[in-house]
Amino acid sequence: MKIKPFATEEFFADYEFSAPYMLSASDCESMTIEALMQCAGVGLDGLGACSLQYTESQGGRVVREAIASTYDAVSADDVIMLNAPQEGIYLAMNALLEPRDRVLVLTPCYDSLVQVAEHIGCEMHRLHLIADHHAGVWVFDMAQLEERLRTLKPRMVIVNFPHNPTGYLPGVDEWEEMQSLVTRHGALLFSDEMYRGLELGGRSMLSSGGEHHSGRVITLGGLSKSHGLPGLRSGWLVIKDQRLREQVLAWKHYTSICAPAPVEYLTSIAVQVQERLFEANRALIEGNAAYVEEGLQDDAMNGFRWIMPLAGSTALLFSPWQDVEAKAHELAREHGVVVLPAKFLGADAGAVRLGLGRAGFKEAWDKFIEVMKS
Ligand SMILES: Cc1ncc(COP(=O)(O)O)c(C=O)c1O
């Protein structure tokens, strides 16, 4: 089976672990297992006592209850523990879509949200977030969604809020409307909520799709982004509809079978202290976002502009460069500065993604401005 290269992951594979100035990571600042346990006020003994046997395919009851308790109206039975958030995308698309199904994806987006369904042979359609540079905001076109639902009759709609890469977050009412429109038109809604908890400037967290009364919203959560624990490879799906859940579990027997026992254990600890992790990461992002605003005033940054993110850890920086991909490779190879070309995510070809959740961001941004000056 021929698949498209995963442009974002291939770009990071080349530079993420060698170039010193990372400007584009989507995860937040990470921590050690020891620091996580300290934050939760527990010792390392529990981890040491963790048996390395197989776990339940759906996930052990303890971890599923811990995850369910972070939502309203979600029970442990609704949760499927994963081996990585990415696995949730793969499982849900393969289990719930057939070749030639029509799928509507909010664009730009993380590569696999469009490509996994494309590999299956689905007919992919895109719904674009629109950059309003005059007002400095991203706009979601609800009328356009309604029209596409009516004319396309898609099997699935895929969204991701808080949004990677734009930092867009719909209003509470808009999100409710989106969920009811999609489910009323008989489509499944796949809601990627990997950046939930990173609502900036005091904005409130949206309800989770997993809490939606229709039970037709499949929700992806995980510890990689808002919690800053990507090395744990911990994620989960929330699926209220039993038949859909069983279809997804049937696929899981062919991928990871079950999550590692230490990951289940550490996940149940991490979700208990998630509010504290979110708070620290929101502060980091807000500080870095203010630093970008300040840096954009520098003469060296003439021709660059951005739209301030409302939520999440990423935002797009629009550049004056003709060939962004060539420039990004040059910056990484010659100056150690990593900026991800946003065209990999289906965004404006002139843009790059900024990742604001890392502690080293300011130093990397300084280096970027220094290179632009020279
Ligand atoms: C929107 C979104 N969903 C899912 C994932 C996958 O997460 P992970 O790499 O931890 O499996 C990512 C990673 O960048 C993402 O940005």
Side-chain angles (χ1 to χ4, degrees):
M1 178 179 173
K2 293 206 170 42
I3 56 168
K4 261 195 191 164
F6 203 125
T8 298
E9 297 302 341
E10 289 191 357
F11 182 82
F12 279 130
D14 284 346
Y15 305 118
E16 186 175 359
F17 298 98
S18 52
Y21 303 105
M22 170 53 78
L23 271 179
S24 285
S26 57
D27 55 353
C28 290
E29 189 63 21
S30 204
M31 56 169 63
T32 60
I33 294 177
E34 202 169 14
L36 174 64
M37 304 305 249
Q38 261 167 20
C39 176
V42 289
L44 285 166
D45 293 354
L47 184 61
C50 204
S51 163
L52 294 177
Q53 62 197 20
Y54 278 112
T55 60
E56 289 175 57
S57 278
Q58 189 172 347
R61 184 139 285 269
V62 173
V63 71
R64 283 189 288 117
E65 273 172 3
I67 291 167
S69 72
T70 65
Y71 296 95
D72 291 332
V74 168
S75 83
D77 290 343
D78 305 331
V79 176
I80 297 177
M81 184 67 193
L82 304 165
N83 232 303
Q86 183 81 278
E87 188 192 25
I89 300 173
Y90 185 83
L91 294 178
M93 303 300 156
N94 277 286
L96 307 177
L97 295 172
E98 298 289 343
R100 289 179 294 284
D101 274 350
R102 286 182 292 277
V103 177
L104 185 59
V105 191
L106 183 70
T107 303
C109 65
Y110 181 58
D111 317 32
S112 53
L113 289 178
V114 63
Q115 272 155 226
V116 176
E118 200 167 86
H119 295 158
I120 294 166
C122 295
E123 198 186 287
M124 304 308 293
H125 298 265
R126 291 174 183 264
L127 185 69
H128 292 270
L129 275 176
I130 302 148
D132 179 344
H133 287 289
H134 189 66
V137 291
W138 287 95
V139 180
F140 179 89
D141 187 344
M142 194 70 74
Q144 172 82 227
L145 171 66
E146 188 160 17
E147 200 217 298
R148 304 292 286 282
L149 285 167
R150 235 180 334 97
T151 52
L152 273 179
K153 299 192 182 9
R155 162 90 180 133
M156 185 185 273
V157 176
I158 301 173
V159 295
N160 155 231
F161 305 122
H163 186 251
N164 169 21
T166 63
Y168 172 75
L169 183 75
V172 171
D173 294 344
E174 254 178 322
W175 174 227
E176 288 307 319
E177 194 179 344
M178 238 182 264
Q179 292 176 94
S180 33
L181 269 180
V182 173
T183 53
R184 257 204 341 261
H185 279 81
L188 292 170
L189 181 59
F190 185 87
S191 173
D192 179 325
E193 300 179 0
M194 289 298 296
Y195 298 84
R196 194 159 179 258
L198 298 181
E199 297 73 21
L200 308 175
R203 285 180 182 80
S204 17
M205 192 190 269
L206 299 178
S207 65
S208 167
E211 296 160 358
H212 195 253
H213 57 83
S214 68
R216 303 281 293 169
V217 186
I218 292 117
T219 299
L220 176 69
L223 301 184
S224 303
K225 310 297 179 183
S226 317
H227 302 72
L229 305 171
L232 254 189
R233 311 309 296 125
S234 173
W236 54 87
L237 289 168
V238 178
I239 310 178
K240 278 190 180 294
D241 183 300
Q242 190 187 346
R243 202 175 51 86
L244 298 179
R245 209 167 49 233
E246 281 167 4
Q247 281 172 260
V248 170
L249 274 170
W251 265 84
K252 194 175 175 207
H253 296 306
Y254 286 100
T255 55
S256 60
I257 303 176
C258 62
V263 173
E264 286 204 350
Y265 175 73
L266 291 169
T267 298
S268 54
I269 305 256
V271 294
Q272 281 167 36
V273 293
Q274 68 177 23
E275 288 310 326
R276 261 187 284 159
L277 304 180
F278 294 165
E279 198 180 325
N281 288 327
R282 283 194 302 260
L284 198 52
I285 295 165
E286 283 164 358
N288 287 336
Y291 205 66
V292 170
E293 284 273 278
E294 206 182 301
L296 286 173
Q297 307 309 314
D298 195 302
D299 287 346
M301 297 303 286
N302 274 342
F304 287 89
R305 60 182 173 172
W306 82 327
I307 293 179
M308 192 61 147
L310 302 180
S313 53
T314 60
L316 289 185
L317 178 71
F318 296 86
S319 79
W321 304 324
Q322 288 302 317
D323 185 343
V324 170
E325 196 173 341
K327 191 74 188 174
H329 284 291
E330 179 197 315
L331 278 168
R333 285 194 194 120
E334 291 178 20
H335 305 282
V337 178
V338 182
V339 285
L340 179 77
K343 73 169 190 189
F344 295 164
L345 306 160
D348 186 303
V352 294
R353 183 179 76 185
L354 293 181
L356 303 158
R358 294 274 187 94
F361 180 87
K362 288 181 181 165
E363 192 194 348
W365 181 246
D366 285 346
K367 178 71 185 178
F368 180 67
I369 296 182
E370 183 193 310
V371 175
M372 292 303 110
K373 276 196 174 115
S374 61

